[in-house]
Amino acid sequence: MNALVPLPVLMPVLAAGVKILIGPRRPVLKRAISIVALAAVLGVAIMLLVRADRYGPQVTRLGGWPAPVGITLVADRLSAVMLAVSSAVTLCVMVYAFGQDVAERDRDTPLSVFHPSYLLLTAGVCDAFLAGDLFNMFVGFEMMLMASYVLVTLGGTMARVRAGTTYIIVALLSSMLFLVAIAVLYAATGTVNMAQLSWRIAELPGPVARIAEVTLLTAFAVKAAVFPLSMWLPDSYPSAPTPVSAVFAGLLTKIGVYGVIRAETLLFPGGHLRRVLLVAALLSMLAGVLGALVQIDVRRLLSFTLVSHIGYMIFGVALDSAAGLAATVFYVLHHITIQTTLFLVAGLIDRRGGATSLARLGGLARTAPLVGVLFFVPAMNLGGIPPLSGFLGKLGLLRAGLAQGGPLVDALVAGAAVTSLLTLYSLVKVWNQAFWSAPPDDLPQGDLAQGDPPQSARAARLPAAMVAGSAALVVLSLAYTAAGGPLYALCERAAAELLNPQTYTRAVFPSGGAT
């Protein structure tokens, strides 16, 4: 069964190659290939999760080469559950993209470009989660980022190219920093295999280990959009097509968080940079939510809330406790789904209301009640209204913080509570303005922003696939609430496994040769 581990990476790559060979024709066949490939990835991810939870980490050594010489892929509880949720999200976003016709009917974004790029991005995400060594994780990051460079600039409009340029520059800088961190660790230890690094880093002189840790965490923090390394995000994500911005918001930042979790539990256990991470978490929460408060565009508002909620995840990692890590894993899974859903619904609002600026929206509760439901449920979930999964994750983080105590941790607990309230306020502002206020029928044509559709183009009919993709993610988020107990218990087992690195190293080196 360990042969299943490479399939989440291989299947999207093979599907992308087949679609490139097919060319720009046969859109129905291309849709079928995408759905089958992503559904197969989801099925394999669920099987890996069941096996990893029942039997321990699933390990595959590609080409039969033993670690650390060959490439090792590892599916433990953390990577398997991240893989399963990410696969479900990418599948739903692809369904949404079919309805929006991101590629099929737009001459600037042909089908032959969007779908292979999206599948390669999916493969990169899967490879980053399953990588058993830092260099293969870097390769997964680069697969994902190369595809994202294409997706973020689809259409070639001025706004997308400008935002994409910022995104690409920041991504390249973070990748260079990641590569420097890998080089430092390899020069100091002679390996990039994470299981072997967990043994050898402990033998390094303190200053060398701290330099490597700071460099690696900085690279991951840029990718995760941890404040103050997050200023690129609110300008980059809102400009992309809706399916692209949704999957970026839901997944790409969480890969950075995943890297931080791996680094702080497997490579550099002991919480040496705990105070730095706590401060970064608090600043991310407050800076992100304060930025959201002053936004009048739905997508930019959601981008700032994304930054603020990354702070919750870093908070849990910085606590360096089983309770904090369990709450972090749960909150990451919740946030992948909720943030993706909200960006997709923002696309529905754009299509139905003709804009995403709150100054140009109103009356959607009457004209598009289904969109109202699809927005209200994830909005309340992100705001932490009980008994939804957002409340469960935040409650777990607050309880873990209060149990640990200390002035800085107590300040973070207070900051997390304030951030939750301000997040709720920001989303209620959108709800009131877009859905319940009077529609701006008398808005002068000259007041429309460049690129906004004319008033006569508003109230467009919503394609069924767009609604279905959004609704599926809303249902998935509600499933987290309905199965909150078992899911949280799984996250607790994943946290216990993370705090016991020997489980990981024994799976990769059964003979005990990690040293």
Side-chain angles (χ1 to χ4, degrees), residues 180-195:
V180 168
I182 294 173
V184 170
L185 284 170
Y186 184 75
T189 64
T191 185
V192 293
N193 182 278
M194 289 193 285

Side-chain angles (χ1 to χ4, degrees), residues 6-22 33 37 116 119-120 123 143:
L7 293 183
V9 182
L10 292 176
M11 289 188 293
V13 172
L14 292 175
V18 170
K19 295 178 84 164
I20 291 174
L21 292 175
I22 292 174
I33 292 173
L119 289 169
L120 288 176
M143 287 176 61

Side-chain angles (χ1 to χ4, degrees), residues 23 59 84 120 125 127 157 236 263 297 344 362 369 400-401 438 459 502 506:
V59 179
L120 288 176
V125 169
D127 189 39
T157 64
S236 300
D297 183 86
L344 292 184
Q502 290 77 15
R506 282 197 300 267

Side-chain angles (χ1 to χ4, degrees), residues 63-88:
W65 292 93
V69 177
I71 296 174
T72 303
L73 299 180
V74 185
D76 61 357
R77 287 188 179 98
L78 175 63
S79 56
V81 73
M82 294 281 283
L83 191 67
V85 171
S86 300
S87 302

Side-chain angles (χ1 to χ4, degrees), residues 89-90 92-94 96-98 100 102-103 109 113-115 117-119 121 144-155 160 164 167 236-253 299 303 306 339-340 343-344 347:
V89 166
T90 53
C92 292
V93 172
M94 179 60 83
Y96 183 101
F98 291 158
Q100 193 183 21
V102 165
T109 57
V113 172
F114 174 77
H115 282 254
S117 299
Y118 187 87
L119 289 169
L121 182 140
M144 173 190 70
L145 290 174
M146 290 300 293
S148 71
Y149 300 156
V150 176
L151 295 172
V152 78
T153 55
L154 280 177
R160 289 180 184 174
Y167 171 80
S236 300
Y237 286 7
S239 300
T242 296
V244 175
S245 61
V247 80
F248 280 18
L251 285 180
L252 299 200
T253 51
R299 288 195 181 102
S303 297
L306 170 58
Q339 199 72 38
T340 305
F343 268 87
L344 292 184

